[in-house]
Every structure is written in structure tokens, then in C-alpha cells.
Amino acid sequence: RKEVEQDPGPFNVPEGATVAFNCTYSNSASQSFFWYRQDCRKEPKLLMSVYSSGNEDGRFTAQLNRASQYISLLIRDSKLSDSATYLCAVNTPGTYKYIFGTGTRLKVLA
Amino acid sequence: GAGVSQSPSNKVTEKGKDVELRCDPISGHTALYWYRQSLGQGLEFLIYFQGNSAPDKSGLPSDRFSAERTGGSVSTLTIQRTQQEDSAVYLCASSSPQDYEQYFGPGTRLTVT
């Protein structure tokens, strides 16, 4: 099993839709989680940290499910500009080394 | 403030040559990371530096790869005797010790011919 896994997609959704992605991780002791957004041929940009209590930033909500070892990202009211690849990052326990998932590609359609 | 900068932005080299890639992190960030991303692939961890601690080199793919960080700031990733499979985008990121949120530079696109 890979340390961090994501469904590669693509997820094709109409504008205004709600879409959710999951990212599973193998090490139950991981403590630190992030979501990044990467546009084509650009560097990843930090989208959200993922806190154990869950966190929300506008249309974006991130949650952590420790029991099932996954984090999720929910996007409400999708915009065309949300089209990108979404990467999750999970730390290796006891270190600040992060393993990134291979990303989930989202296409928001007009 | 200034973000993470990397140079060069593009590098084309012949197989067998050595290359040096540079990363200038955000001022005050004590952690610095190098990743590699091949076309259409995810980020592959290479190495990270944290303050004055010994770097975690566990992701370096071979002994042709090395990195150093001078004065706790600028870092150089060196690839010796480049091979075609080294062609990729090399990304650098830095983070503060408070939150470990990583901020990436624009990357160096390396092409080995």
C-alpha cells in the first residue's frame, strides 16, 4: 500500500456543483496534513492546513478522519477557476518530511 | 514579502554533465525541501534540511544527487553525470518551524539530452 493515495480523477463537474476528494494515508501516527492546489505547469500552492477539528475557508472545507486514516477536501459552488490538480501532503511521523499524493484532477465545466 | 526563488528556471544539459540548481528560501524559514516532479506525476521527496540538524537524505535516488545548505539559507542541489531519466521539474519549498506550511518556488525545469 502506498503511503499516501489519491484518486487521480479527473472529476468533471458542472459549475456550481459540490465536489469532494479523499486522500488516504497508511501511517496512523501521522500528525500533520495539508491540501495544495497545482495548476498546469505551475508550482503547488498551499490551499489549507487540515486540523483535527476540521476547518473551513470560504467554499473549501477540510476534514480529518483518523479512524479511517483519510483527509477530505470539499469544494462548494465550484467555479471554473477551481479547475486544477489537488494534492494532499502527510507528514512521516516523528519528522517534518512530507509525502505528497499524486493528486486529483478537477475540471469544472461551464 | 519575497517568496521562494529558484534558478535557473530552465536548464538543458547533455547526458553526463553535472548541473547545479539553486534555491533561495523565504527569509526566516528554517526548513527547506527539495522535490522532483516528472511530467504528469506527483511530487517525489528528495531531501530536507531543518535548521542545523543533519539533513534527511532518504529520498535521494542515487549517489549522483547531493545537496547542501549554506548558512541556513540558500541551498544547492547538484546532480552529477546527468542521465535522461533525471529530466523533470525540480521544486524547492521552505517552511517556518511554527506551522510547517510549505511554500514552493517556481521550479527548475531540467532537460537532459
PDB file of all heavy atoms in Angstrom, chain A residues 2-6 23 34-38 44-46 86-91 97-103, chain B residues 33 35 37 42-45 93 102 104:
ATOM      1  N   LYS A   2       0.514   2.213  -0.862  1.00  0.00           N
ATOM      2  CA  LYS A   2       1.266   3.460  -0.889  1.00  0.00           C
ATOM      3  C   LYS A   2       1.059   4.221   0.404  1.00  0.00           C
ATOM      4  O   LYS A   2       0.019   4.112   1.048  1.00  0.00           O
ATOM      5  CB  LYS A   2       0.788   4.314  -2.058  1.00  0.00           C
ATOM      6  CG  LYS A   2       1.252   3.837  -3.422  1.00  0.00           C
ATOM      7  CD  LYS A   2       0.817   4.842  -4.484  1.00  0.00           C
ATOM      8  CE  LYS A   2       1.279   4.409  -5.852  1.00  0.00           C
ATOM      9  NZ  LYS A   2       0.844   5.355  -6.888  1.00  0.00           N
ATOM     10  N   GLU A   3       2.056   5.045   0.753  1.00  0.00           N
ATOM     11  CA  GLU A   3       1.943   5.828   1.982  1.00  0.00           C
ATOM     12  C   GLU A   3       0.797   6.828   1.922  1.00  0.00           C
ATOM     13  O   GLU A   3       0.107   7.069   2.913  1.00  0.00           O
ATOM     14  CB  GLU A   3       3.250   6.564   2.234  1.00  0.00           C
ATOM     15  CG  GLU A   3       4.416   5.653   2.602  1.00  0.00           C
ATOM     16  CD  GLU A   3       5.693   6.421   2.823  1.00  0.00           C
ATOM     17  OE1 GLU A   3       5.898   6.929   3.938  1.00  0.00           O
ATOM     18  OE2 GLU A   3       6.486   6.533   1.869  1.00  0.00           O
ATOM     19  N   VAL A   4       0.620   7.434   0.749  1.00  0.00           N
ATOM     20  CA  VAL A   4      -0.443   8.427   0.563  1.00  0.00           C
ATOM     21  C   VAL A   4      -1.087   8.148  -0.794  1.00  0.00           C
ATOM     22  O   VAL A   4      -0.378   8.041  -1.797  1.00  0.00           O
ATOM     23  CB  VAL A   4       0.127   9.860   0.591  1.00  0.00           C
ATOM     24  CG1 VAL A   4      -0.979  10.879   0.354  1.00  0.00           C
ATOM     25  CG2 VAL A   4       0.826  10.124   1.923  1.00  0.00           C
ATOM     26  N   GLU A   5      -2.395   8.027  -0.815  1.00  0.00           N
ATOM     27  CA  GLU A   5      -3.092   7.690  -2.063  1.00  0.00           C
ATOM     28  C   GLU A   5      -4.227   8.647  -2.345  1.00  0.00           C
ATOM     29  O   GLU A   5      -4.969   9.030  -1.429  1.00  0.00           O
ATOM     30  CB  GLU A   5      -3.636   6.259  -2.006  1.00  0.00           C
ATOM     31  CG  GLU A   5      -2.560   5.193  -2.062  1.00  0.00           C
ATOM     32  CD  GLU A   5      -3.116   3.814  -2.338  1.00  0.00           C
ATOM     33  OE1 GLU A   5      -3.323   3.474  -3.514  1.00  0.00           O
ATOM     34  OE2 GLU A   5      -3.332   3.072  -1.373  1.00  0.00           O
ATOM     35  N   GLN A   6      -4.351   8.991  -3.618  1.00  0.00           N
ATOM     36  CA  GLN A   6      -5.453   9.833  -4.074  1.00  0.00           C
ATOM     37  C   GLN A   6      -6.013   9.249  -5.357  1.00  0.00           C
ATOM     38  O   GLN A   6      -5.271   8.684  -6.174  1.00  0.00           O
ATOM     39  CB  GLN A   6      -4.973  11.259  -4.377  1.00  0.00           C
ATOM     40  CG  GLN A   6      -4.489  12.033  -3.179  1.00  0.00           C
ATOM     41  CD  GLN A   6      -4.140  13.468  -3.581  1.00  0.00           C
ATOM     42  OE1 GLN A   6      -2.976  13.825  -3.699  1.00  0.00           O
ATOM     43  NE2 GLN A   6      -5.169  14.269  -3.782  1.00  0.00           N
ATOM     44  N   CYS A  23      -8.113  11.604   0.526  1.00  0.00           N
ATOM     45  CA  CYS A  23      -6.696  11.256   0.477  1.00  0.00           C
ATOM     46  C   CYS A  23      -6.459  10.298   1.638  1.00  0.00           C
ATOM     47  O   CYS A  23      -6.675  10.670   2.800  1.00  0.00           O
ATOM     48  CB  CYS A  23      -5.863  12.528   0.618  1.00  0.00           C
ATOM     49  SG  CYS A  23      -4.116  12.277   1.005  1.00  0.00           S
ATOM     50  N   PHE A  34      -1.948  18.591   4.887  1.00  0.00           N
ATOM     51  CA  PHE A  34      -2.209  19.806   4.121  1.00  0.00           C
ATOM     52  C   PHE A  34      -2.855  19.446   2.793  1.00  0.00           C
ATOM     53  O   PHE A  34      -2.654  18.356   2.262  1.00  0.00           O
ATOM     54  CB  PHE A  34      -0.902  20.558   3.812  1.00  0.00           C
ATOM     55  CG  PHE A  34      -0.167  21.030   5.036  1.00  0.00           C
ATOM     56  CD1 PHE A  34       0.848  20.271   5.580  1.00  0.00           C
ATOM     57  CD2 PHE A  34      -0.494  22.235   5.623  1.00  0.00           C
ATOM     58  CE1 PHE A  34       1.529  20.707   6.701  1.00  0.00           C
ATOM     59  CE2 PHE A  34       0.178  22.677   6.749  1.00  0.00           C
ATOM     60  CZ  PHE A  34       1.192  21.901   7.286  1.00  0.00           C
ATOM     61  N   TRP A  35      -3.595  20.406   2.224  1.00  0.00           N
ATOM     62  CA  TRP A  35      -4.058  20.355   0.846  1.00  0.00           C
ATOM     63  C   TRP A  35      -3.366  21.463   0.062  1.00  0.00           C
ATOM     64  O   TRP A  35      -3.268  22.602   0.528  1.00  0.00           O
ATOM     65  CB  TRP A  35      -5.568  20.552   0.760  1.00  0.00           C
ATOM     66  CG  TRP A  35      -6.362  19.343   1.120  1.00  0.00           C
ATOM     67  CD1 TRP A  35      -7.040  19.106   2.286  1.00  0.00           C
ATOM     68  CD2 TRP A  35      -6.569  18.177   0.304  1.00  0.00           C
ATOM     69  NE1 TRP A  35      -7.653  17.888   2.250  1.00  0.00           N
ATOM     70  CE2 TRP A  35      -7.384  17.284   1.045  1.00  0.00           C
ATOM     71  CE3 TRP A  35      -6.163  17.807  -0.981  1.00  0.00           C
ATOM     72  CZ2 TRP A  35      -7.796  16.049   0.538  1.00  0.00           C
ATOM     73  CZ3 TRP A  35      -6.566  16.581  -1.475  1.00  0.00           C
ATOM     74  CH2 TRP A  35      -7.371  15.710  -0.723  1.00  0.00           C
ATOM     75  N   TYR A  36      -2.908  21.083  -1.138  1.00  0.00           N
ATOM     76  CA  TYR A  36      -2.289  22.039  -2.049  1.00  0.00           C
ATOM     77  C   TYR A  36      -3.053  22.008  -3.366  1.00  0.00           C
ATOM     78  O   TYR A  36      -3.633  20.991  -3.733  1.00  0.00           O
ATOM     79  CB  TYR A  36      -0.822  21.671  -2.329  1.00  0.00           C
ATOM     80  CG  TYR A  36       0.099  21.954  -1.171  1.00  0.00           C
ATOM     81  CD1 TYR A  36       0.171  21.075  -0.092  1.00  0.00           C
ATOM     82  CD2 TYR A  36       0.878  23.103  -1.148  1.00  0.00           C
ATOM     83  CE1 TYR A  36       1.003  21.334   0.982  1.00  0.00           C
ATOM     84  CE2 TYR A  36       1.718  23.365  -0.081  1.00  0.00           C
ATOM     85  CZ  TYR A  36       1.769  22.478   0.977  1.00  0.00           C
ATOM     86  OH  TYR A  36       2.596  22.757   2.040  1.00  0.00           O
ATOM     87  N   ARG A  37      -2.964  23.104  -4.075  1.00  0.00           N
ATOM     88  CA  ARG A  37      -3.546  23.198  -5.404  1.00  0.00           C
ATOM     89  C   ARG A  37      -2.389  23.412  -6.387  1.00  0.00           C
ATOM     90  O   ARG A  37      -1.470  24.198  -6.110  1.00  0.00           O
ATOM     91  CB  ARG A  37      -4.493  24.397  -5.445  1.00  0.00           C
ATOM     92  CG  ARG A  37      -4.963  24.752  -6.837  1.00  0.00           C
ATOM     93  CD  ARG A  37      -5.566  26.123  -6.893  1.00  0.00           C
ATOM     94  NE  ARG A  37      -5.768  26.466  -8.293  1.00  0.00           N
ATOM     95  CZ  ARG A  37      -6.924  26.818  -8.815  1.00  0.00           C
ATOM     96  NH1 ARG A  37      -8.001  26.915  -8.049  1.00  0.00           N
ATOM     97  NH2 ARG A  37      -7.028  27.103 -10.102  1.00  0.00           N
ATOM     98  N   GLN A  38      -2.441  22.691  -7.518  1.00  0.00           N
ATOM     99  CA  GLN A  38      -1.403  22.859  -8.531  1.00  0.00           C
ATOM    100  C   GLN A  38      -2.062  23.072  -9.880  1.00  0.00           C
ATOM    101  O   GLN A  38      -2.793  22.202 -10.360  1.00  0.00           O
ATOM    102  CB  GLN A  38      -0.443  21.665  -8.576  1.00  0.00           C
ATOM    103  CG  GLN A  38       0.727  21.897  -9.515  1.00  0.00           C
ATOM    104  CD  GLN A  38       1.782  20.813  -9.435  1.00  0.00           C
ATOM    105  OE1 GLN A  38       1.486  19.665  -9.127  1.00  0.00           O
ATOM    106  NE2 GLN A  38       3.041  21.167  -9.712  1.00  0.00           N
ATOM    107  N   PRO A  44       3.026  23.891  -6.809  1.00  0.00           N
ATOM    108  CA  PRO A  44       1.892  23.741  -5.878  1.00  0.00           C
ATOM    109  C   PRO A  44       1.783  24.968  -4.987  1.00  0.00           C
ATOM    110  O   PRO A  44       2.782  25.576  -4.604  1.00  0.00           O
ATOM    111  CB  PRO A  44       2.282  22.507  -5.047  1.00  0.00           C
ATOM    112  CG  PRO A  44       3.316  21.799  -5.850  1.00  0.00           C
ATOM    113  CD  PRO A  44       4.052  22.864  -6.600  1.00  0.00           C
ATOM    114  N   LYS A  45       0.536  25.307  -4.676  1.00  0.00           N
ATOM    115  CA  LYS A  45       0.278  26.416  -3.746  1.00  0.00           C
ATOM    116  C   LYS A  45      -0.559  25.895  -2.586  1.00  0.00           C
ATOM    117  O   LYS A  45      -1.525  25.144  -2.797  1.00  0.00           O
ATOM    118  CB  LYS A  45      -0.450  27.556  -4.455  1.00  0.00           C
ATOM    119  CG  LYS A  45       0.409  28.266  -5.489  1.00  0.00           C
ATOM    120  CD  LYS A  45      -0.227  29.539  -5.978  1.00  0.00           C
ATOM    121  CE  LYS A  45       0.557  30.167  -7.107  1.00  0.00           C
ATOM    122  NZ  LYS A  45       1.939  30.550  -6.716  1.00  0.00           N
ATOM    123  N   LEU A  46      -0.180  26.296  -1.388  1.00  0.00           N
ATOM    124  CA  LEU A  46      -0.896  25.851  -0.205  1.00  0.00           C
ATOM    125  C   LEU A  46      -2.342  26.317  -0.253  1.00  0.00           C
ATOM    126  O   LEU A  46      -2.622  27.496  -0.475  1.00  0.00           O
ATOM    127  CB  LEU A  46      -0.211  26.404   1.045  1.00  0.00           C
ATOM    128  CG  LEU A  46      -0.878  26.055   2.365  1.00  0.00           C
ATOM    129  CD1 LEU A  46      -0.742  24.560   2.641  1.00  0.00           C
ATOM    130  CD2 LEU A  46      -0.253  26.861   3.502  1.00  0.00           C
ATOM    131  N   TYR A  86      -5.413  18.785  -7.226  1.00  0.00           N
ATOM    132  CA  TYR A  86      -5.376  18.985  -5.773  1.00  0.00           C
ATOM    133  C   TYR A  86      -4.517  17.882  -5.151  1.00  0.00           C
ATOM    134  O   TYR A  86      -4.781  16.692  -5.337  1.00  0.00           O
ATOM    135  CB  TYR A  86      -6.791  19.002  -5.207  1.00  0.00           C
ATOM    136  CG  TYR A  86      -7.528  20.248  -5.647  1.00  0.00           C
ATOM    137  CD1 TYR A  86      -8.169  20.289  -6.890  1.00  0.00           C
ATOM    138  CD2 TYR A  86      -7.529  21.393  -4.866  1.00  0.00           C
ATOM    139  CE1 TYR A  86      -8.800  21.449  -7.333  1.00  0.00           C
ATOM    140  CE2 TYR A  86      -8.158  22.552  -5.293  1.00  0.00           C
ATOM    141  CZ  TYR A  86      -8.782  22.576  -6.533  1.00  0.00           C
ATOM    142  OH  TYR A  86      -9.396  23.733  -6.973  1.00  0.00           O
ATOM    143  N   LEU A  87      -3.490  18.310  -4.447  1.00  0.00           N
ATOM    144  CA  LEU A  87      -2.529  17.396  -3.835  1.00  0.00           C
ATOM    145  C   LEU A  87      -2.693  17.397  -2.322  1.00  0.00           C
ATOM    146  O   LEU A  87      -2.856  18.465  -1.725  1.00  0.00           O
ATOM    147  CB  LEU A  87      -1.088  17.851  -4.139  1.00  0.00           C
ATOM    148  CG  LEU A  87      -0.686  18.052  -5.592  1.00  0.00           C
ATOM    149  CD1 LEU A  87       0.669  18.746  -5.670  1.00  0.00           C
ATOM    150  CD2 LEU A  87      -0.613  16.729  -6.308  1.00  0.00           C
ATOM    151  N   CYS A  88      -2.607  16.237  -1.724  1.00  0.00           N
ATOM    152  CA  CYS A  88      -2.566  16.192  -0.270  1.00  0.00           C
ATOM    153  C   CYS A  88      -1.131  15.903   0.166  1.00  0.00           C
ATOM    154  O   CYS A  88      -0.346  15.312  -0.586  1.00  0.00           O
ATOM    155  CB  CYS A  88      -3.513  15.134   0.283  1.00  0.00           C
ATOM    156  SG  CYS A  88      -3.153  13.454  -0.244  1.00  0.00           S
ATOM    157  N   ALA A  89      -0.791  16.345   1.369  1.00  0.00           N
ATOM    158  CA  ALA A  89       0.537  16.107   1.932  1.00  0.00           C
ATOM    159  C   ALA A  89       0.376  15.624   3.364  1.00  0.00           C
ATOM    160  O   ALA A  89      -0.403  16.197   4.133  1.00  0.00           O
ATOM    161  CB  ALA A  89       1.376  17.377   1.882  1.00  0.00           C
ATOM    162  N   VAL A  90       1.124  14.591   3.707  1.00  0.00           N
ATOM    163  CA  VAL A  90       1.029  13.943   5.021  1.00  0.00           C
ATOM    164  C   VAL A  90       2.432  13.791   5.567  1.00  0.00           C
ATOM    165  O   VAL A  90       3.335  13.357   4.832  1.00  0.00           O
ATOM    166  CB  VAL A  90       0.367  12.550   4.891  1.00  0.00           C
ATOM    167  CG1 VAL A  90       0.282  11.868   6.254  1.00  0.00           C
ATOM    168  CG2 VAL A  90      -1.004  12.669   4.249  1.00  0.00           C
ATOM    169  N   ASN A  91       2.611  14.101   6.852  1.00  0.00           N
ATOM    170  CA  ASN A  91       3.978  14.001   7.370  1.00  0.00           C
ATOM    171  C   ASN A  91       4.313  12.569   7.767  1.00  0.00           C
ATOM    172  O   ASN A  91       3.433  11.767   8.130  1.00  0.00           O
ATOM    173  CB  ASN A  91       4.197  14.945   8.553  1.00  0.00           C
ATOM    174  CG  ASN A  91       3.697  14.378   9.870  1.00  0.00           C
ATOM    175  OD1 ASN A  91       2.537  13.992   9.989  1.00  0.00           O
ATOM    176  ND2 ASN A  91       4.587  14.303  10.854  1.00  0.00           N
ATOM    177  N   LYS A  97       9.245  15.539   7.356  1.00  0.00           N
ATOM    178  CA  LYS A  97       9.247  15.083   5.977  1.00  0.00           C
ATOM    179  C   LYS A  97       7.807  14.829   5.565  1.00  0.00           C
ATOM    180  O   LYS A  97       7.049  14.198   6.313  1.00  0.00           O
ATOM    181  CB  LYS A  97      10.057  13.797   5.867  1.00  0.00           C
ATOM    182  CG  LYS A  97       9.965  13.075   4.542  1.00  0.00           C
ATOM    183  CD  LYS A  97      10.759  11.787   4.615  1.00  0.00           C
ATOM    184  CE  LYS A  97      10.523  10.906   3.415  1.00  0.00           C
ATOM    185  NZ  LYS A  97      11.269   9.635   3.526  1.00  0.00           N
ATOM    186  N   TYR A  98       7.425  15.320   4.408  1.00  0.00           N
ATOM    187  CA  TYR A  98       6.065  15.171   3.922  1.00  0.00           C
ATOM    188  C   TYR A  98       6.039  14.328   2.656  1.00  0.00           C
ATOM    189  O   TYR A  98       6.879  14.489   1.772  1.00  0.00           O
ATOM    190  CB  TYR A  98       5.434  16.544   3.646  1.00  0.00           C
ATOM    191  CG  TYR A  98       5.061  17.253   4.908  1.00  0.00           C
ATOM    192  CD1 TYR A  98       6.005  17.980   5.622  1.00  0.00           C
ATOM    193  CD2 TYR A  98       3.777  17.152   5.434  1.00  0.00           C
ATOM    194  CE1 TYR A  98       5.681  18.598   6.810  1.00  0.00           C
ATOM    195  CE2 TYR A  98       3.439  17.768   6.621  1.00  0.00           C
ATOM    196  CZ  TYR A  98       4.395  18.491   7.306  1.00  0.00           C
ATOM    197  OH  TYR A  98       4.070  19.095   8.487  1.00  0.00           O
ATOM    198  N   ILE A  99       5.065  13.459   2.603  1.00  0.00           N
ATOM    199  CA  ILE A  99       4.816  12.672   1.403  1.00  0.00           C
ATOM    200  C   ILE A  99       3.571  13.247   0.742  1.00  0.00           C
ATOM    201  O   ILE A  99       2.535  13.430   1.400  1.00  0.00           O
ATOM    202  CB  ILE A  99       4.609  11.191   1.736  1.00  0.00           C
ATOM    203  CG1 ILE A  99       5.822  10.626   2.482  1.00  0.00           C
ATOM    204  CG2 ILE A  99       4.347  10.396   0.456  1.00  0.00           C
ATOM    205  CD1 ILE A  99       7.122  10.708   1.715  1.00  0.00           C
ATOM    206  N   PHE A 100       3.692  13.509  -0.548  1.00  0.00           N
ATOM    207  CA  PHE A 100       2.573  14.058  -1.296  1.00  0.00           C
ATOM    208  C   PHE A 100       1.867  12.948  -2.062  1.00  0.00           C
ATOM    209  O   PHE A 100       2.501  12.014  -2.570  1.00  0.00           O
ATOM    210  CB  PHE A 100       3.073  15.102  -2.301  1.00  0.00           C
ATOM    211  CG  PHE A 100       3.357  16.446  -1.690  1.00  0.00           C
ATOM    212  CD1 PHE A 100       4.483  16.650  -0.921  1.00  0.00           C
ATOM    213  CD2 PHE A 100       2.482  17.496  -1.880  1.00  0.00           C
ATOM    214  CE1 PHE A 100       4.742  17.893  -0.346  1.00  0.00           C
ATOM    215  CE2 PHE A 100       2.727  18.746  -1.323  1.00  0.00           C
ATOM    216  CZ  PHE A 100       3.860  18.937  -0.557  1.00  0.00           C
ATOM    217  N   GLY A 101       0.557  13.071  -2.151  1.00  0.00           N
ATOM    218  CA  GLY A 101      -0.187  12.210  -3.049  1.00  0.00           C
ATOM    219  C   GLY A 101       0.077  12.629  -4.487  1.00  0.00           C
ATOM    220  O   GLY A 101       0.647  13.685  -4.751  1.00  0.00           O
ATOM    221  N   THR A 102      -0.355  11.780  -5.415  1.00  0.00           N
ATOM    222  CA  THR A 102      -0.129  12.078  -6.823  1.00  0.00           C
ATOM    223  C   THR A 102      -1.141  13.077  -7.373  1.00  0.00           C
ATOM    224  O   THR A 102      -0.998  13.542  -8.500  1.00  0.00           O
ATOM    225  CB  THR A 102      -0.170  10.799  -7.663  1.00  0.00           C
ATOM    226  OG1 THR A 102      -1.371  10.093  -7.371  1.00  0.00           O
ATOM    227  CG2 THR A 102       1.022   9.908  -7.345  1.00  0.00           C
ATOM    228  N   GLY A 103      -2.131  13.416  -6.567  1.00  0.00           N
ATOM    229  CA  GLY A 103      -3.047  14.474  -6.971  1.00  0.00           C
ATOM    230  C   GLY A 103      -4.338  13.965  -7.575  1.00  0.00           C
ATOM    231  O   GLY A 103      -4.386  12.892  -8.181  1.00  0.00           O
TER     232      GLY A 103
ATOM    233  N   TYR B  33      13.053  22.134   1.585  1.00  0.00           N
ATOM    234  CA  TYR B  33      12.778  20.846   0.967  1.00  0.00           C
ATOM    235  C   TYR B  33      13.092  20.902  -0.527  1.00  0.00           C
ATOM    236  O   TYR B  33      12.878  21.922  -1.182  1.00  0.00           O
ATOM    237  CB  TYR B  33      11.293  20.494   1.089  1.00  0.00           C
ATOM    238  CG  TYR B  33      10.741  20.425   2.492  1.00  0.00           C
ATOM    239  CD1 TYR B  33      10.404  21.581   3.195  1.00  0.00           C
ATOM    240  CD2 TYR B  33      10.517  19.190   3.104  1.00  0.00           C
ATOM    241  CE1 TYR B  33       9.875  21.510   4.473  1.00  0.00           C
ATOM    242  CE2 TYR B  33       9.976  19.114   4.385  1.00  0.00           C
ATOM    243  CZ  TYR B  33       9.656  20.280   5.058  1.00  0.00           C
ATOM    244  OH  TYR B  33       9.124  20.201   6.330  1.00  0.00           O
ATOM    245  N   TYR B  35      12.066  18.635  -4.006  1.00  0.00           N
ATOM    246  CA  TYR B  35      11.215  17.606  -4.599  1.00  0.00           C
ATOM    247  C   TYR B  35      11.514  17.544  -6.103  1.00  0.00           C
ATOM    248  O   TYR B  35      12.043  18.482  -6.689  1.00  0.00           O
ATOM    249  CB  TYR B  35       9.726  17.940  -4.430  1.00  0.00           C
ATOM    250  CG  TYR B  35       9.241  18.015  -3.004  1.00  0.00           C
ATOM    251  CD1 TYR B  35       9.264  19.226  -2.314  1.00  0.00           C
ATOM    252  CD2 TYR B  35       8.745  16.887  -2.364  1.00  0.00           C
ATOM    253  CE1 TYR B  35       8.803  19.313  -1.009  1.00  0.00           C
ATOM    254  CE2 TYR B  35       8.278  16.967  -1.050  1.00  0.00           C
ATOM    255  CZ  TYR B  35       8.316  18.180  -0.385  1.00  0.00           C
ATOM    256  OH  TYR B  35       7.862  18.250   0.909  1.00  0.00           O
ATOM    257  N   GLN B  37       9.450  16.453  -9.787  1.00  0.00           N
ATOM    258  CA  GLN B  37       8.163  16.127 -10.382  1.00  0.00           C
ATOM    259  C   GLN B  37       8.360  15.868 -11.871  1.00  0.00           C
ATOM    260  O   GLN B  37       8.725  16.776 -12.623  1.00  0.00           O
ATOM    261  CB  GLN B  37       7.151  17.254 -10.164  1.00  0.00           C
ATOM    262  CG  GLN B  37       5.741  16.886 -10.591  1.00  0.00           C
ATOM    263  CD  GLN B  37       4.707  17.939 -10.180  1.00  0.00           C
ATOM    264  OE1 GLN B  37       4.984  19.132 -10.190  1.00  0.00           O
ATOM    265  NE2 GLN B  37       3.509  17.483  -9.804  1.00  0.00           N
ATOM    266  N   GLY B  42       3.344  12.825  -9.568  1.00  0.00           N
ATOM    267  CA  GLY B  42       3.287  13.520  -8.292  1.00  0.00           C
ATOM    268  C   GLY B  42       4.649  14.032  -7.874  1.00  0.00           C
ATOM    269  O   GLY B  42       5.646  13.893  -8.582  1.00  0.00           O
ATOM    270  N   LEU B  43       4.685  14.630  -6.712  1.00  0.00           N
ATOM    271  CA  LEU B  43       5.925  15.155  -6.156  1.00  0.00           C
ATOM    272  C   LEU B  43       6.704  14.032  -5.484  1.00  0.00           C
ATOM    273  O   LEU B  43       6.166  13.313  -4.647  1.00  0.00           O
ATOM    274  CB  LEU B  43       5.629  16.228  -5.108  1.00  0.00           C
ATOM    275  CG  LEU B  43       5.029  17.530  -5.600  1.00  0.00           C
ATOM    276  CD1 LEU B  43       4.641  18.410  -4.434  1.00  0.00           C
ATOM    277  CD2 LEU B  43       6.006  18.244  -6.485  1.00  0.00           C
ATOM    278  N   GLU B  44       7.968  13.917  -5.848  1.00  0.00           N
ATOM    279  CA  GLU B  44       8.840  12.910  -5.251  1.00  0.00           C
ATOM    280  C   GLU B  44       9.781  13.613  -4.283  1.00  0.00           C
ATOM    281  O   GLU B  44      10.576  14.470  -4.686  1.00  0.00           O
ATOM    282  CB  GLU B  44       9.627  12.212  -6.351  1.00  0.00           C
ATOM    283  CG  GLU B  44      10.627  11.194  -5.856  1.00  0.00           C
ATOM    284  CD  GLU B  44      11.525  10.658  -6.973  1.00  0.00           C
ATOM    285  OE1 GLU B  44      11.383  11.110  -8.137  1.00  0.00           O
ATOM    286  OE2 GLU B  44      12.367   9.787  -6.689  1.00  0.00           O
ATOM    287  N   PHE B  45       9.708  13.269  -3.011  1.00  0.00           N
ATOM    288  CA  PHE B  45      10.568  13.864  -1.996  1.00  0.00           C
ATOM    289  C   PHE B  45      12.019  13.477  -2.262  1.00  0.00           C
ATOM    290  O   PHE B  45      12.329  12.309  -2.535  1.00  0.00           O
ATOM    291  CB  PHE B  45      10.149  13.382  -0.613  1.00  0.00           C
ATOM    292  CG  PHE B  45      11.144  13.689   0.473  1.00  0.00           C
ATOM    293  CD1 PHE B  45      11.185  14.949   1.044  1.00  0.00           C
ATOM    294  CD2 PHE B  45      12.039  12.732   0.910  1.00  0.00           C
ATOM    295  CE1 PHE B  45      12.096  15.247   2.044  1.00  0.00           C
ATOM    296  CE2 PHE B  45      12.959  13.002   1.903  1.00  0.00           C
ATOM    297  CZ  PHE B  45      12.986  14.265   2.468  1.00  0.00           C
ATOM    298  N   ALA B  93      10.960  24.040  -1.632  1.00  0.00           N
ATOM    299  CA  ALA B  93       9.953  24.637  -0.758  1.00  0.00           C
ATOM    300  C   ALA B  93      10.608  24.977   0.567  1.00  0.00           C
ATOM    301  O   ALA B  93      11.586  24.340   0.972  1.00  0.00           O
ATOM    302  CB  ALA B  93       8.780  23.680  -0.538  1.00  0.00           C
ATOM    303  N   GLN B 102       4.322  24.552   3.700  1.00  0.00           N
ATOM    304  CA  GLN B 102       5.389  24.688   2.716  1.00  0.00           C
ATOM    305  C   GLN B 102       4.988  25.653   1.607  1.00  0.00           C
ATOM    306  O   GLN B 102       3.885  25.578   1.070  1.00  0.00           O
ATOM    307  CB  GLN B 102       5.722  23.323   2.113  1.00  0.00           C
ATOM    308  CG  GLN B 102       6.352  22.379   3.120  1.00  0.00           C
ATOM    309  CD  GLN B 102       6.701  21.055   2.516  1.00  0.00           C
ATOM    310  OE1 GLN B 102       7.400  20.977   1.498  1.00  0.00           O
ATOM    311  NE2 GLN B 102       6.214  19.993   3.122  1.00  0.00           N
ATOM    312  N   PHE B 104       6.286  26.906  -2.108  1.00  0.00           N
ATOM    313  CA  PHE B 104       7.128  26.406  -3.183  1.00  0.00           C
ATOM    314  C   PHE B 104       7.672  27.529  -4.064  1.00  0.00           C
ATOM    315  O   PHE B 104       7.013  28.552  -4.282  1.00  0.00           O
ATOM    316  CB  PHE B 104       6.322  25.453  -4.080  1.00  0.00           C
ATOM    317  CG  PHE B 104       6.106  24.099  -3.470  1.00  0.00           C
ATOM    318  CD1 PHE B 104       5.100  23.889  -2.539  1.00  0.00           C
ATOM    319  CD2 PHE B 104       6.926  23.033  -3.812  1.00  0.00           C
ATOM    320  CE1 PHE B 104       4.903  22.637  -1.966  1.00  0.00           C
ATOM    321  CE2 PHE B 104       6.737  21.780  -3.249  1.00  0.00           C
ATOM    322  CZ  PHE B 104       5.728  21.587  -2.330  1.00  0.00           C
TER     323      PHE B 104
END
